[in-house]
Structures are given as C-alpha cells and as structure tokens.
Amino acid sequence: MAGFYDNLSPEDVTTLDRLARLLIELRESREALLSRYEVNNEETLLRKILSGELAEHPAYEDYLGTRVVHTTREAIRAGLREYMLRIK
C-alpha cells in the first residue's frame, strides 16, 4: 500500500493502525474459541450443543462469546468504513 498513508495525519494513521490491530485480535479470539470445538462457525457450534454432541457448559458460554466477538467486529468494521470515508 505504498502511498496510502501519505496524505493522512499522524493521528489518522494511529487510529487506523489501532483499529486494524483490534480487528485482527478479535478475529483470532473468535478462531480460538471455535477451534476448541473443531468447528469453523457459530452455527455449527450451536448445532453441536443443541444435539448433545457437546456439553452445554462451557460450550454455550463460548458460543455466546463468539457472537459477541462477531458483533463487535462488525461494528468496528462499519466504524472503520465510515472513518475512511471521512478522511479521504
């Protein structure tokens, strides 16, 4: 991305960097929760809980955690998109 940051203020660069890092951390957190149960998504995790294949505790708490992480990531991505449009 040569030149992407050239016209941005140092504050904007710092903000973008922090948001990008946070998105990565949240993605990795979600993946770690799901990998405990060898699933790739929340729907499969919930299905395994409801079928009895997985014990409800702590799997359901982890399912809720993945939903919170997903919702948080989506909110940050939307905010980042708006931020990028403002500073363009």
Side-chain angles (χ1 to χ4, degrees), residues 7 29 31 37 40-41 44 48-49 54 60-61 72 81:
N7 296 319
S29 175
E31 290 172 357
Y37 305 99
N40 294 320
N41 57 59
T44 303
K48 286 185 171 195
I49 295 166
L54 293 172
Y60 189 70
E61 287 85 354
T72 302
R81 197 173 308 117

Side-chain angles (χ1 to χ4, degrees), residues 10-72:
E11 294 82 15
D12 288 333
V13 171
T14 299
T15 298
L16 291 173
D17 183 61
R18 286 182 179 162
L19 289 172
R21 289 177 190 272
L22 181 56
L23 286 172
I24 291 168
E25 288 175 18
L26 289 169
R27 182 189 68 215
E28 290 172 352
S29 175
R30 177 182 171 269
E31 290 172 357
L33 285 169
L34 293 172
S35 71
R36 290 180 189 175
Y37 305 99
E38 299 178 354
V39 297
N40 294 320
N41 57 59
E42 292 85 354
E43 294 79 18
T44 303
L45 177 56
L46 183 59
R47 190 170 45 251
K48 286 185 171 195
I49 295 166
L50 294 173
S51 73
E53 187 176 337
L54 293 172
E56 189 174 316
H57 179 74
Y60 189 70
E61 287 85 354
D62 288 339
Y63 164 76
L64 293 176
T66 63
R67 297 301 305 148
V68 169
V69 169
H70 174 77
T71 301
T72 302

Side-chain angles (χ1 to χ4, degrees), residues 1-17 80 83-88:
M1 277 199 224
F4 177 78
Y5 293 108
D6 291 348
N7 296 319
L8 300 178
S9 71
E11 294 82 15
D12 288 333
V13 171
T14 299
T15 298
L16 291 173
D17 183 61
L80 182 57
Y83 188 82
M84 293 294 296
L85 291 172
R86 279 197 309 268
I87 63 173
K88 250 184 162 180

